[in-house]
Each structure stands twice: as structure tokens, then as C-alpha cells.
Amino acid sequence: MEAGEPSRTAMMAATARGLHRLEEARPWLFDDFLGLVLVGPAWRDIRTELTAALSEPILRIVSTMSATRARYSEERLSVGGFDQYVLLGAGLDSFAWRRPDALAGGLRVFEVDHPASQAWKLARVEELGLPSSDRHLFVPVDFEVETLDLALDRAGFDWSGRTFFSWLGVQPYLTVEATEATLRSLAKSHPGSEIVLSYLIAPPLMEDIGRTFHERWVDIAAKVGEPVQTALTPEEAEALVRRCGLDVAEHPTRDDVEARFFAGRSDDLVPITFEQFLVAAVPG
Ligand SMILES: C[S@@+](CC[C@H](N)C(=O)[O-])C[C@H]1O[C@@H](n2cnc3c(N)ncnc32)[C@H](O)[C@@H]1O
């Protein structure tokens, strides 16, 4: 990411979530009714660019994927009884405005993101007149240069609170060193705290559409200045979180995700083998 330039992949991810609810029949996997609003009028150009680069059918599947990971993460958050929610690499996530009930119920939400991306989002939020809350905090951090614990300290994070961290669609753009430093930071959280992360699965393990999407995505991401840096096998992902002091709590396969979220759909939507979810917990 260039200084002063927000993350283009964050705009693409929010556009994809918005397109899912705009272009698919119900039931939607996830209803991000603010996705396109936060991106602004640029979502139309992004849609055109992605259709040209990926093809219409692959964009449709990618939109499904973006919606599925948000669904997976927010479902886990909703059953955990957490005190704090930290979105790492928040991008244009809209949880705090979609779920004012969660904040009113006492949940503190920390949006952590690269300073350039966050500055753009804050300006956009101001422009839209979206409400602010003292339970909704913004924490600028570059994971490649600063550790998460220092940044959270600055923002008034409570290390004694049970916390849910999400880290969706970010790890592929980081070095293993930055990923590890961030995981070690959050492993200091209160026992029972959790992180759900999505990682890019090693390309030899991708199937059909996942592999085609990966080949095209690597080019797109490089062109927007956010090159893909890291992919992991499931064994490597588990070893990574364990050596950072976390336990593996859930690590669903593509088939698990299909059975859980796609069973009984009357359309042809399915998950792809491209990114995989992993939930890790701070041991008690
Ligand atoms: C593909 S977007 C995903 C955004 C969001 N999590 C979602 O699912 O819509 C990648 C995000 O990672 C953030 N990011 C990339 N490199 C980063 C870094 N070195 N430090 C902090 N954030 C970074 C970007 O600013 C962007 O918000």
C-alpha cells in the first residue's frame, strides 16, 4: 500500500459482500447492507474491473466467499459472550453500524487497520454521517512495523476482558514474521479469547475454480500494490498458531463449510478451495 492510498483489496472485499446481497436471491449468506455504501460510487468501477479480470462466474463465487467468511466469523462472535471485538485489518467492515445492539449491550469494538486504509475509512464515515460511539475505537497499525499489543495499549484495550479477534483476508498480504508477531501479541489476551483468521491455502491444495481465481488474483493484488506474500498448508497454519501460544479450536475444511452454510440451497452457490478458516483460542 502506498502512503495516503487506502487498501484497494479492502474496497474489493466490501464490494464483493455488497454484490452478494445485490445479485443473489435470498437467503443471503450474509447481509452486509452497508458494503457498497461504504465503498461509495467506486463500487461500480470495481465491479467492472473485477468482472473483466476474473469473469462474471468467478466474481460471483468470490462474492459468495467474502460473504461466507463474514458469516462464519460473526456467528462465532455471537455465541462466545465476549467483552471486546478486535477486527484486524478491518477494511470496510460495517459491523459497528449494522449491530448497534451489540455495542449497546456492552461490546467494545476496536477496528485495527493500516493507517492509510483507516484514514480513508474515517473520512468516508464522516462524509456519510455514520454515528460514532465511545465503544467503537479505531487503531492505526502497520503489522509489518509495529506490534499489536503496543497499539492496543494505546487505544485502551482491556487485557483482562475476553476478546474475539477476527483477521479476515489479511494474512495472505503479510510476511510470516508479521503474522507471527501479531499472533504472539494477541496470545497475551485473557484465557478463552479467540481469533478467527482466514489464510490462503497452499496453491497445490486448491481445486479447479480456487486455482483459477488464485492465478488471476495474484496479478490483481500485485497491480494494486498489495502483493500476495504467504500461503500455508493446513498443517503449517496449525503449527503457526501453536508456536505462538494458541490452541486450535476449529479448522473446518471446504466440505465442512459447504455442509454448514450451503446445505439445502436451491441455487448453485458453493464454497471454493482458496482460503481456509481457522479458529485459535488463548489457553485457559
Ligand atoms: C483484503 S482487505 C480485507 C479487509 C476486511 N478484513 C474484509 O474482509 O473485508 C485487506 C486488509 O488488510 C489490511 N492490511 C494489509 N497489510 C497490512 C499491514 N501491513 N498492516 C495493517 N493492515 C494491513 C488492509 O489495510 C486491508 O484493510
Side-chain angles (χ1 to χ4, degrees), residues 1 7 9-10 13-14 17 69 88-92 113-114 117 141-144 168-170 173-174 226:
M1 251 170 296
S7 162
T9 64
R17 282 193 300 277
R69 77 175 179 216
L88 301 171
L92 296 180
D113 209 344
H114 191 283
S117 299
V141 179
D142 182 342
F143 298 125
E144 298 288 349
L168 305 178
V170 185
Y173 309 101
L174 301 177
E226 297 172 64

Side-chain angles (χ1 to χ4, degrees), residues 191-211:
S193 296
E194 287 187 351
I195 173 164
V196 55
L197 69 95
S198 67
Y199 63 90
L200 184 66
I201 196 157
L205 300 177
M206 291 175 184
E207 293 157 3
D208 308 336
I209 299 171
R211 192 171 304 122

